[in-house]
């Protein structure tokens, strides 16, 4: 397609990771970057994520063939308004990476539509509690859904241009109505963050009178509250641009809590068993286990003895294989072996690791 100029507005985790993915399949493209903070601009330049960087949003806009807005939602909307006033290329394509879509698409219709500027909403459904260009990951979007949301002014070439640009992300591209996107993500993304923070705040206050709460908060509690470490400003912005679906999810969940509360109060053993069994069966049927959801991770569980240097031994065997996370699943009994959980970003790394561990050790492993 020849050399293109890509302008990535926001060089945080998402923007910088997008730059790496674009570089992988399009090394000849020129990538320009905007970031308000100097640190991420410097890192992006030093690491070669971008060819040029600025803290002046308008400075590079007229040079871009594609503009990607990877900034908080309110800032995205403000930049959409500003773009309508700038001298852009005739066939420029504008997209975003926001976690809510209806408000952004409406703003694009309002500001870019009258100017005839091609826009399509975007949401790469992957992320981390880590922030900044320093956290950039070329495999961040691998196997994750990348959702496109059209507006009435989106031109026919928009999706083809972006799927080509983002081919190096190794993501799964899907088109969805903006309103439906916000409803679905309110259930599987936005409301769970409210629930996780509520659990964490409840536990923190409970620990004031019951200090061992802090000691025993491992296992399931840790997994359920991991996402609490995400940036508060981002999640405040998400809720403020998708309030009605989230309020609906909260109200519906409150009725579910009341239901299980009534079952417990009446000591209805059979109904409580059905409650847990339905949850278990529903989770097994969801795409969580098909590695194409929000967090497309691949886990291996290794049963290890309580011996010195066992973990170091395993990590040494995995030298050269990219590891996303390492966790020791602690047991309450000292006579039970521990479980070392290692997370990989793709199936190839998982398979390599499993082969090495099976060949070099006698430790039982389970792949999930």
């Amino acid at each position: 397609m020849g050399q293109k100029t890509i302008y990535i507005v926001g060089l945080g985790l998402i923007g910088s990771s997008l730059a790496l993915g674009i570089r992988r399949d399009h090394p000849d493209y020129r990538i320009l970057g905007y970031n308000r903070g100097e640190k991420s601009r410097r890192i992006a330049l030093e690491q070669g994520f971008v060819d040029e960087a600025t803290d002046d949003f308008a400075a590079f806009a007229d040079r871009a063939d594609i503009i990607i807005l990877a900034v908080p939602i309110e800032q995205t909307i403000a930049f959409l308004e500003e773009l309508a006033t700038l001298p852009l290329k005739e066939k420029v394509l504008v997209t975003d990476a926001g976690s809510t879509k209806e408000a952004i698409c409406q703003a694009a219709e309002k500001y870019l539509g009258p100017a005839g500027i091609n826009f399509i909403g975007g949401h790469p459904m992957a992320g981390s509690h880590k922030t900044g260009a320093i956290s950039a990951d070329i495999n961040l979007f691998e196997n994750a859904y990348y959702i496109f949301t059209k507006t009435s002014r989106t031109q026919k070439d928009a999706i083809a241009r972006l799927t080509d640009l983002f081919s190096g992300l190794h993501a799964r591209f899907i088109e969805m109505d903006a309103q439906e996107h916000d409803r679905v993500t309110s259930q599987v993304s936005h409301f769970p963050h409210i629930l996780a923070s509520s659990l964490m705040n409840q536990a923190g206050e409970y620990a004031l009178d019951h200090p061992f709460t802090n000691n025993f908060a491992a296992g399931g509690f840790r997994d359920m509250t991991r996402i609490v470490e995400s940036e508060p400003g981002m999640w405040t912005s998400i809720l403020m641009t998708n309030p009605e679906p989230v309020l609906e999810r909260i109200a519906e969940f409150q009725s579910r809590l009341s239901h299980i509360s009534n079952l417990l109060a009446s000591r209805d053993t059979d109904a409580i068993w059905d409650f847990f069994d339905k949850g278990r069966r529903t989770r097994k049927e969801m795409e969580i286990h098909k590695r194409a959801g929000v967090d497309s991770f691949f886990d291996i569980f290794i049963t290890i003895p309580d011996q010195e240097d066992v973990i170091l031994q395993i990590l040494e065997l995995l030298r050269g294989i990219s590891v996303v996370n390492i966790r020791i699943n602690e047991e309450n009994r000292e006579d039970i072996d521990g479980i070392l959980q290692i997370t990989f970003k793709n199936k190839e790394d998982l398979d390599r690791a499993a082969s090495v561990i099976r060949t070099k050790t006698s430790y039982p492993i389970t792949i999930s």
Side-chain angles (χ1 to χ4, degrees):
M1 293 180 63
Q3 188 185 69
K4 300 292 182 182
T5 298
I6 313 302
Y7 186 20
I8 299 179
V9 179
L11 297 173
L13 170 70
I14 299 299
S16 295
S17 298
L18 288 173
L20 288 175
I22 294 169
R23 282 257 191 255
R24 175 152 56 186
D25 276 13
H26 303 286
D28 58 325
Y29 283 14
R30 187 158 189 81
I31 302 180
L32 312 177
Y34 160 88
N35 204 74
R36 185 175 60 181
E38 187 275 335
K39 181 179 179 181
S40 282
R41 291 200 309 274
R42 174 173 49 80
I43 292 171
L45 285 168
E46 291 174 351
Q47 298 297 321
F49 304 165
V50 299
D51 299 294
E52 299 179 58
T54 182
D55 61 354
D56 178 3
F57 169 68
F60 295 156
D62 62 344
R63 295 164 56 183
D65 296 292
I66 297 178
I67 299 173
I68 304 167
L69 303 176
V71 291
I73 296 168
E74 289 92 343
Q75 189 64 68
T76 294
I77 292 172
F79 281 157
L80 288 172
E81 183 176 9
E82 185 173 350
L83 282 173
T85 69
L86 299 178
L88 307 179
K89 286 187 175 181
E90 182 181 357
K91 295 184 178 180
V92 66
L93 171 60
V94 180
T95 188
D96 77 295
S99 296
T100 59
K101 296 268 62 80
E102 190 171 16
I104 290 173
C105 286
Q106 287 175 350
E109 293 259 14
K110 178 180 179 180
Y111 299 121
L112 302 187
I117 298 171
N118 194 4
F119 174 87
I120 186 168
H123 180 197
M125 293 194 69
S128 167
H129 62 274
K130 298 178 181 179
T131 60
I134 196 170
S135 302
D137 179 1
I138 194 171
N139 295 315
L140 182 65
F141 310 106
E142 188 159 348
N143 295 322
Y145 281 122
Y146 200 116
I147 299 173
F148 296 123
T149 55
K150 291 181 179 179
T151 74
S152 64
R153 302 297 186 100
T154 299
Q155 297 171 21
K156 292 182 179 180
D157 65 347
I159 290 182
R161 290 173 66 181
L162 286 185
T163 53
D164 175 74
L165 177 69
F166 293 146
S167 60
L169 304 183
H170 300 166
R172 297 181 54 158
F173 301 109
I174 186 171
E175 182 184 338
M176 180 180 287
D177 173 77
Q179 186 178 61
E180 179 65 8
H181 167 278
D182 287 0
R183 288 193 173 279
V184 171
T185 53
S186 74
Q187 174 65 65
V188 299
S189 178
H190 308 164
F191 172 66
H193 275 80
I194 294 174
L195 183 58
S197 289
S198 297
L199 281 171
M200 201 67 254
N201 292 334
Q202 181 191 49
E205 294 175 13
Y206 196 68
L208 297 176
D209 294 323
H210 306 278
F212 275 109
T213 300
N214 292 328
N215 300 87
F216 298 156
F221 185 87
R222 176 187 56 213
D223 292 342
M224 290 179 68
T225 57
R226 173 185 58 82
I227 55 176
V228 170
E229 297 183 26
S230 299
E231 205 280 312
M234 178 185 73
W235 282 101
T236 300
S237 176
I238 288 171
L239 294 187
M240 290 298 96
T241 53
N242 196 31
E244 294 305 324
V246 175
L247 287 169
E248 180 185 283
R249 293 297 83 209
I250 292 173
E252 200 272 348
F253 195 79
Q254 287 173 330
S255 69
R256 290 180 181 272
L257 287 180
S258 296
H259 175 65
I260 189 63
S261 177
N262 291 335
L263 295 181
L264 183 57
S266 62
R267 305 297 193 269
D268 191 336
T269 303
D270 291 340
I272 292 173
W273 187 93
D274 288 338
F275 168 81
F276 285 116
D277 184 59
K278 182 180 179 181
R280 179 184 62 84
R281 287 186 287 105
T282 300
R283 190 179 194 276
K284 285 182 176 293
E285 294 168 1
M286 289 186 73
E287 209 170 83
I288 293 170
H289 297 286
K290 297 180 182 179
R291 306 302 177 189
V294 175
D295 290 316
S296 300
F297 294 142
F298 296 78
D299 294 322
I300 188 170
F301 299 85
I302 310 165
T303 302
I304 56 173
D306 184 13
Q307 296 177 2
E308 188 175 354
D309 293 339
V310 169
I311 296 176
L312 291 177
Q313 173 197 357
I314 292 173
L315 294 180
E316 182 63 31
L317 292 174
L318 300 183
R319 183 184 292 273
I321 301 176
S322 179
V323 172
V324 172
N325 195 19
I326 300 170
R327 174 181 298 164
I328 301 172
N329 295 332
E330 301 166 331
E331 299 286 353
N332 290 329
R333 289 177 52 192
E334 295 181 357
D335 60 327
I336 298 177
D337 290 343
I339 303 294
L340 178 64
Q341 178 181 353
I342 304 179
T343 304
F344 305 91
K345 192 64 178 178
N346 56 60
K347 188 176 185 300
E348 290 74 19
D349 287 342
L350 174 67
D351 289 343
R352 286 175 58 200
S355 177
V356 169
I357 294 168
R358 286 191 178 109
T359 302
K360 301 292 186 179
T361 79
S362 60
Y363 304 140
I365 68 173
T366 301
I367 295 176
S368 175

